[in-house]
Amino acid sequence: MKMQSMIGKACAAIAIAAAMPPAAHGAGETVTPRFEQALPNVPGKSMIAVVVDYAPGGASPSHTHAKSAFIFGYVLSGEIESQVNDGPKRVYRAGESFYEAPGACHPVSRNASKTEPAKLLAVFVVDSDDKPLTMPVE
């Protein structure tokens, strides 16, 4: 595949994702798709990026992700309290990152502040046909 074609497809994917309306998932949480692209050098895998905006005191419900998903989280602004599986709860500040391995449970993901908003970039590397990306824990 020519580089211009790949760049064109990536730009189109970003434009489509940016035009998509944000989706509300939890109380005070909005998830906005930002990028989705099949990885041409890793057949069957895709990279998907979403931005999670948390209102002051906002949180995501306890959840898991697609079984194949490796997730890289990066705090864009504010402070995010997170827990993966039975690990310790930790507060991540703007500029800090964490990851979730495939099959992990994310029981805590919330804005650590009751007065300031927070924003998280989540990048998934996932089997292209593994949907949905996020499922609530019942």
Side-chain angles (χ1 to χ4, degrees):
M1 181 178 279
K2 291 185 178 182
M3 184 58 82
Q4 283 182 315
S5 175
M6 285 178 48
I7 292 170
K9 287 181 181 179
C11 289
I14 290 170
I16 290 167
M20 297 172 85
H25 290 265
E29 169 202 34
T30 302
V31 178
T32 307
R34 290 293 181 199
F35 179 81
E36 183 170 352
Q37 178 66 47
L39 299 175
N41 60 337
V42 187
K45 294 285 188 181
S46 291
M47 182 179 292
I48 300 170
V50 301
V51 172
V52 183
D53 285 284
Y54 288 105
S60 303
S62 181
H63 59 276
T64 60
H65 293 287
K67 292 292 182 197
S68 66
F70 176 89
I71 301 141
F72 168 75
Y74 180 79
V75 180
L76 296 168
S77 64
E79 298 179 346
I80 305 286
E81 183 176 21
S82 182
Q83 180 184 20
V84 177
N85 293 324
D86 294 328
K89 291 180 189 173
R90 177 165 171 211
V91 174
Y92 295 89
R93 290 164 178 74
E96 295 182 325
S97 60
F98 62 91
Y99 77 94
E100 294 179 46
C105 180
H106 201 169
V108 176
S109 183
R110 64 177 158 237
N111 187 340
S113 173
K114 302 285 185 202
T115 60
E116 299 294 324
K119 187 178 290 197
L120 171 73
L121 171 67
V123 179
F124 295 70
V125 176
V126 62
D127 289 349
S128 298
D129 61 355
D130 201 355
K131 306 282 185 206
L133 287 180
T134 303
M135 291 81 53
V137 172
E138 311 264 334

